[in-house]
């Protein structure tokens, strides 16, 4: 038959909702479904098991991709170089994974002759926007559908459908939370967490141990080259290995737990719990090395850009012209971000205790107050005169027009 122009590519996780979606889409649209599963370090079942389940649930093809290294190198590392924390807290766990998953969805659509891509997102979250904007940014000709949003595939319908069709998927176990995880971190929402007065319970967490009762402090040295982690305690690592090792070590100390109410792209506020031990440890170390190696004005400007970069990625603009331009700037800033950061991981905190870099702008002889000081303090008087001149002139004008600072009229004399 050749290419099937009526095929739909489905982002497939192996869980209940997307397993049911295979048959549901076929019934509702009369079109064949190609299941696409992408491993971004989420753990869980073997990819081959997921592939076979997709076929058993009615998929005509199953596309499986191990994208862990790709995700770490091409998505997590740009976020690290940008010290990306949405609203100052969230390291973009889910937002970073959507573009790489989408890339494989589009690749599968081209390979199997599909004209439509489907995803399992609801109609009130950020991810529907991320998937669909990413898809059309790479392949403007593709259509997008969401079975939950567009084809009325609610959870109770999914459970009933799975039982009636005897699908090879567990339907009785109900997790009260909505969870998305990958190697960069873990996101947990819904359930009792929707009441923002409720504290998270211990069963929420998987990537991190309770920081209240930590093991002994763990000292780690992270080596960077041009902004990227290249060694841990002197042992060479790939970006994926760096994230994985720090997930283990920082996670054991309870580092990277985040409880926040964030502003979603669709206009609502949402309570989210995140765990990102490796990401938080790496961002902490990287930002500290930049403090040593970036020139002052470059450093200041990059900090303001980091916030906007994080917002763009959170808001589905990974492929936007502005974000691409920012990437070019950020890459330029990293040419001297090379050196070692020593940190102590303990009790929920990653504390920097040492910095070392051959490209450092820190000059001990200029900074010291001891003998050997090379800073010529005689220059400071003239510098202050010139630096403060505009403020001095403005203050004199205020006094001249009666707008000077009022120091009050009380008796300021000292009493015996």
């Amino acid at each position: 038959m050749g290419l099937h122009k009526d095929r739909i590519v489905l982002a497939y996780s192996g869980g209940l909702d997307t397993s049911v979606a295979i048959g549901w889409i076929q019934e509702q649209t009369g079109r064949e479904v190609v299941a696409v599963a992408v491993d971004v370090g989420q753990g869980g079942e073997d990819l081959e098991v997921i592939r076979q389940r997709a076929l058993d649930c009615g998929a005509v093809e199953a596309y499986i991709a191990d994208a862990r290294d790709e995700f770490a190198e091409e998505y997590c590392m740009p976020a690290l170089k940008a010290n990306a924390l949405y609203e100052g807290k969230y390291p973009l766990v889910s937002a970073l994974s959507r573009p790489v998953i989408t890339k494989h969805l589009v690749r599968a659509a081209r390979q199997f002759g599909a004209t439509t891509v489907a995803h399992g997102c609801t109609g009130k979250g950020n991810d529907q926007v991320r998937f669909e904007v990413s898809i059309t940014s790479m392949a403007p000709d593709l259509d997008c559908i969401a079975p939950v949003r567009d084809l009325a595939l609610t959870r109770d319908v999914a459970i009933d459908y799975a039982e009636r069709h005897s699908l090879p998927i567990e339907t009785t176990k109900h997790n009260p939370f909505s969870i998305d995880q990958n190697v960069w971190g873990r996101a947990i929402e819904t359930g009792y967490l929707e009441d923002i007065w409720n504290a998270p319970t211990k069963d929420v967490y998987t990537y991190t141990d309770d920081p209240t009762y930590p093991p002994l402090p763990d000292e780690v040295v992270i080596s960077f080259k041009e902004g990227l982690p290249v060694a841990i305690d002197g042992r060479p690592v790939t970006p994926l290995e760096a994230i994985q090792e720090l997930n283990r070590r920082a996670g054991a100390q309870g580092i990277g737990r985040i409880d926040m109410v964030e502003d979603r792209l669709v206009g609502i506020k949402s309570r989210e719990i995140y765990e990102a031990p490796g990401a938080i440890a790496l961002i902490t170390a990287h930002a500290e090395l930049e403090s040593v190696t970036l020139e002052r004005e470059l450093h200041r400007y990059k900090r303001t850009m980091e916030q906007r970069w994080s917002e763009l990625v959170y808001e589905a603009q990974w492929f936007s012209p502005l974000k691409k331009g920012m990437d070019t700037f950020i890459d330029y800033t990293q040419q001297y971000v090379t050196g070692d950061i020593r940190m102590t991981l303990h009790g929920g905190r990653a504390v920097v205790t040492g910095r070392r870099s051959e490209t450092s702008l820190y000059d001990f002889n200029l900074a010291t107050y001891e003998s050997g000081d090379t800073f010529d303090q005689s220059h400071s008087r003239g510098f202050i005169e010139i630096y403060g001149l505009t403020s001095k002139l403005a203050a004199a004008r205020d006094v001249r027009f009666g707008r000077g600072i009022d120091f009050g009229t009380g008796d300021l004399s000292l009493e015996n």
Side-chain angles (χ1 to χ4, degrees):
M1 188 175 175
L3 292 180
H4 296 258
K5 292 189 179 300
D6 56 348
R7 284 182 167 182
I8 294 177
V9 163
L10 170 68
Y12 184 65
S13 69
L16 170 67
D17 293 338
T18 53
S19 293
V20 169
I22 293 172
W24 187 260
I25 290 171
Q26 290 175 160
E27 286 186 11
Q28 298 292 314
T29 68
R31 301 161 79 180
E32 294 178 333
V33 173
V34 175
V36 174
V38 182
D39 184 359
V40 285
Q42 64 266 36
E45 295 178 303
D46 182 78
L47 282 179
E48 183 55 35
V49 172
I50 292 174
R51 189 189 77 83
Q52 190 57 51
R53 181 178 302 137
L55 297 173
D56 292 342
C57 287
V60 295
E61 303 277 2
Y63 171 110
I64 304 298
D66 182 349
R68 290 174 297 172
D69 281 303
E70 179 185 2
F71 177 54
E73 293 167 11
E74 298 179 25
Y75 299 84
C76 299
M77 291 301 100
L80 175 60
K81 290 190 285 189
N83 298 315
L85 295 171
Y86 179 67
E87 296 187 337
K89 296 180 182 179
Y90 168 44
L92 301 170
V93 169
S94 298
L96 287 170
S97 73
R98 301 321 183 211
V100 67
I101 293 171
T102 302
K103 180 179 175 182
H104 286 278
L105 290 171
V106 172
R107 182 178 292 169
R110 298 301 192 219
Q111 181 177 331
F112 296 108
T115 58
T116 301
V117 175
H119 58 79
C121 305
T122 68
K124 63 188 297 183
N126 297 311
D127 282 336
Q128 57 176 338
V129 187
R130 292 170 183 154
F131 275 117
E132 296 183 28
V133 170
S134 294
I135 289 165
T136 55
S137 294
M138 284 186 284
D141 58 301
L142 292 180
D143 294 324
C144 303
I145 63 168
V148 175
R149 182 192 67 199
D150 303 332
L151 302 177
L153 182 59
T154 58
R155 187 169 182 86
D156 56 330
V157 168
I159 292 173
D160 178 66
Y161 184 96
E163 291 174 347
R164 281 191 292 109
H165 291 78
S166 301
L167 294 184
I169 186 72
E170 180 66 60
T171 62
T172 56
K173 185 179 180 182
H174 177 62
N175 190 323
F177 307 118
S178 173
I179 298 171
D180 180 59
Q181 62 190 41
N182 55 54
V183 72
W184 197 238
R186 186 166 176 267
I188 310 100
E189 62 180 14
T190 72
Y192 74 86
L193 296 171
E194 290 177 347
D195 182 339
I196 60 176
W197 186 250
N198 288 336
T201 51
K202 291 182 179 179
D203 62 324
V204 168
Y205 300 106
T206 298
Y207 282 15
T208 56
D209 294 331
D210 189 345
T212 309
Y213 306 102
L216 292 173
D218 182 7
E219 187 175 270
V220 60
V221 176
I222 305 173
S223 302
F224 291 87
K225 182 177 181 181
E226 296 181 3
L228 299 176
V230 293
I232 295 179
D233 293 331
R235 183 178 62 84
V237 290
T238 65
L240 178 61
E241 290 168 343
I243 300 167
Q244 289 173 329
E245 178 165 344
L246 286 164
N247 273 339
R248 289 192 298 270
R249 293 172 66 173
Q253 296 286 348
I255 292 164
R257 290 187 174 187
I258 302 156
D259 182 350
M260 67 184 289
V261 174
E262 70 188 37
D263 289 298
R264 280 189 179 176
L265 174 56
V266 294
I268 63 176
K269 288 186 181 289
S270 174
R271 198 271 188 90
E272 307 283 342
I273 305 293
Y274 297 110
E275 297 180 277
I280 294 302
L282 282 167
I283 290 171
T284 300
H286 177 264
E288 187 68 23
L289 185 57
E290 285 188 328
S291 296
V292 175
T293 56
L294 293 190
E295 182 272 333
R296 182 180 69 181
E297 295 304 320
L298 186 66
H299 192 211
R300 287 177 178 174
Y301 191 77
K302 181 174 182 290
R303 287 289 177 266
T304 65
M305 184 178 278
E306 289 169 357
Q307 178 181 338
R308 188 70 188 109
W309 192 97
S310 302
E311 291 167 353
L312 287 172
V313 173
Y314 183 90
E315 295 173 354
Q317 296 297 312
W318 180 269
F319 297 102
S320 72
L322 176 56
K323 187 264 183 186
K324 290 178 182 176
M326 285 185 172
D327 285 339
T328 300
F329 170 82
I330 290 171
D331 283 342
Y332 169 79
T333 69
Q334 300 301 292
Q335 59 184 330
Y336 292 121
V337 185
T338 297
D340 304 320
I341 294 294
R342 187 179 65 236
M343 292 195 301
T344 298
L345 312 175
H346 190 241
R349 301 176 65 213
V351 179
V352 173
T353 62
R355 310 136 186 92
R356 181 172 57 195
S357 172
E358 292 185 0
T359 53
S360 168
L361 290 176
Y362 177 85
D363 186 324
F364 176 85
N365 291 324
L366 286 172
T368 184
Y369 284 86
E370 306 297 332
S371 58
D373 178 11
T374 59
F375 186 90
D376 190 340
Q377 297 188 36
S378 67
H379 293 162
S380 294
R381 183 177 182 88
F383 167 75
I384 294 169
E385 285 288 335
I386 294 172
Y387 181 76
L389 184 58
T390 58
S391 295
K392 182 178 179 181
L393 291 170
R397 182 179 62 184
D398 285 341
V399 170
R400 196 162 68 247
F401 286 92
R403 296 193 182 99
I405 296 174
D406 183 1
F407 294 101
T409 56
D411 185 2
L412 300 180
S413 62
L414 297 175
E415 296 183 3
N416 292 327

